[in-house]
Amino acid sequence: MDRRGAVAVSGVGAVSVAGLGVTALWDAIVGGRVLTGPVTRFDVSGYPTQRAGEIPAQTVAALDAALPHHESLVARYLSAAALEALGQAGIAPRARREKLGVFVGTVMGTRPVLDRAIGPGRLGVSDRTWADPDELLSTLCQMVAVNGPVVLFAPGCSAGNTAIAAGCAAVAAGEVDVAICGGVDELSLEVFAFFTAMRALAPDTIRPFDAGRRGTMPGEGAGVLVLERPERALARGVEPLARVLATASAADAYSVTQPHPDGSGLIATIHTCLTRAGLNADDVDWVCAHGTGTPANDGVEARAVAKALAGKRRPVLSSVKGQLGHAEGGAATLEAVIAVKALGENRIPGNVTLLEPDPDCAGVDLVPPGGRKTTVDVVLSQAYGFGGGVSTVLLGKGDDG
């Protein structure tokens, strides 16, 4: 398989419910740890569940010790993940030798600051940080010498993959030498209210693709990929961790909150990715699913994957949201980071909370809870957003193949 034209992933970073860093995240995933639990940051006693994927207080304290203070946790999560990714890529944050751009996706990044500010005398008329999306990137731009485009995307929960696709296109076109591509969100009362209104909150555990699944839970965190041309990384002595083989986006415009029952948008993005990469269905070793654990999503997604990747074998599919919660804007990039690790470690994460597979998922090979040690050359990572939007990223190993 020829990957020489693909864009390289030279560094990854993460802040997640598992703690600071990619190692903590990957160890939790392969260890089968379910990290959703009681919310302590604010009062959720009035909601159907009091559980979520909350980043521990000690992790937040560690961020505060290492970064300039910002009212928004989103700004701090993103900055820490980006600095880790740049460090792995061997790129000094303040260096100006390359044209560096920032591409970030979020869903409600500004909302938690407003939640904290609501109340008599707490929000001054001159205090606009809660409403200015650019403020979410200010800490990152303070710590990293950004001399290229700075773009914030908000297309729902596909935002992280949208950012990866934009950064990849900018690198491939020569608009930037290096792209910091991130997705990020923070727990907020608004997300609890939103999921409650949709009757989508799981009372205890997220069980993607399970016959007894009852909903999802909010999560939070940031994932970051550093993208550049492979030859640039190799010139610094950095072996690419993975390569972005293709990206694709679509929108079925079926419903504000649900995908089209036939999965047409997802099917279109999968076919487009395979065509652009010159691959076929049987080349995909793992589908890193959106897999929210909601009745509306999982059956549609499994059937769409089975149809789009119909080949000699059933597509291999699992979701990590049962372990991490649904980090909204941060979900897709955290999953992309996990996909990069799966390629490097030749290990597919399992559906850790799966008890009884939904019969609607018979067309796919649901990975058992313990995961699977096997050769992983190609990973398809997909994300849905409200309004029928879907964004898919196809990743391959870092070598030339």
Side-chain angles (χ1 to χ4, degrees):
M1 188 188 308
D2 187 358
R3 301 185 179 94
R4 286 173 293 181
V7 171
V9 180
S10 56
V12 290
V15 176
S16 72
V17 66
L20 288 180
V22 172
T23 297
L25 173 62
W26 180 246
D27 286 350
I29 292 298
V30 299
R33 293 165 55 201
V34 176
L35 298 170
T36 53
V39 175
T40 64
R41 196 174 299 155
F42 43 71
D43 181 16
V44 291
S45 58
Y47 293 93
T49 185
Q50 290 76 51
R51 301 172 67 83
E54 180 181 275
I55 290 176
Q58 60 267 32
T59 299
V60 175
L63 285 174
D64 289 340
L67 298 171
H69 177 73
H70 193 286
E71 181 65 26
S72 170
L73 283 172
V74 163
R76 286 175 269 168
Y77 293 164
L78 177 66
S79 299
L83 290 173
E84 180 186 16
L86 287 169
Q88 186 175 34
I91 298 172
R94 302 303 303 172
R96 294 184 178 273
R97 292 187 295 273
E98 53 273 304
K99 187 172 184 180
L100 187 147
V102 174
F103 306 85
V104 175
T106 191
V107 174
M108 292 185 179
T110 59
R111 178 69 200 198
V113 177
L114 177 58
D115 285 347
R116 290 190 289 274
I118 291 173
R122 296 189 63 189
L123 186 64
V125 293
S126 62
D127 182 1
R128 302 295 297 171
T129 59
W130 64 270
D132 183 358
D134 290 343
E135 267 296 309
L136 302 178
L137 308 180
S138 63
T139 301
L140 174 60
C141 292
Q142 177 182 345
M143 303 190 74
V144 177
V146 180
N147 52 11
V150 178
V151 187
L152 187 66
F153 301 93
C157 295
S158 62
N161 276 356
T162 299
I164 293 171
C168 187
V171 170
E175 295 174 1
V176 298
D177 299 317
V178 176
I180 296 175
C181 301
V184 61
D185 255 309
E186 173 190 343
L187 282 181
S188 72
L189 286 167
E190 184 76 6
V191 173
F192 270 85
F194 191 56
F195 283 153
T196 299
M198 294 192 298
R199 297 182 175 89
L201 276 177
D204 49 7
T205 303
I206 307 172
R207 301 191 186 280
F209 307 109
D210 194 276
R213 66 187 183 274
R214 298 176 62 187
T216 195
M217 288 180 190
E220 62 178 343
V224 168
L225 279 65
V226 170
L227 304 183
E228 58 185 314
R229 288 191 173 276
E231 57 270 21
R232 288 187 59 86
L234 291 169
R236 295 195 308 277
V238 174
E239 291 286 340
L241 303 173
R243 304 201 184 201
V244 182
L245 305 180
T247 67
S249 298
D252 57 42
Y254 170 75
S255 165
V256 173
T257 59
Q258 298 181 19
H260 195 288
D262 67 9
S264 56
L266 177 57
I267 291 169
T269 64
I270 293 174
H271 285 164
T272 300
C273 280
L274 293 178
T275 298
R276 288 174 174 171
L279 301 178
N280 61 52
D282 289 320
D283 291 320
V284 178
D285 297 301
W286 175 41
V287 178
C288 181
H290 187 59
T292 58
T294 58
N297 176 87
D298 294 6
V300 171
E301 184 174 13
R303 291 192 302 271
V305 168
K307 183 175 181 179
L309 294 179
K312 296 178 181 178
R313 59 176 179 171
R314 290 186 301 161
V316 177
L317 182 144
S318 62
S319 168
V320 298
K321 288 187 175 71
Q323 297 179 256
L324 305 178
H326 186 352
E328 294 94 43
T333 47
L334 284 168
E335 288 157 13
V337 169
I338 291 167
V340 169
K341 291 295 292 182
L343 288 160
E345 301 290 336
N346 286 311
R347 185 176 182 89
I348 299 174
N351 291 290
V352 169
T353 57
L354 185 67
L355 296 176
E356 181 184 352
D358 188 332
D360 263 359
C361 303
V364 297
D365 177 5
L366 291 175
V367 184
R372 188 174 292 163
K373 186 70 175 174
T374 185
T375 300
V376 185
D377 286 328
V378 177
V379 176
L380 191 77
S381 185
Q382 56 206 32
Y384 276 112
F386 284 137
V390 59
S391 184
T392 299
V393 173
L394 190 69
L395 295 160
K397 283 192 181 297
D399 56 44
D400 285 338

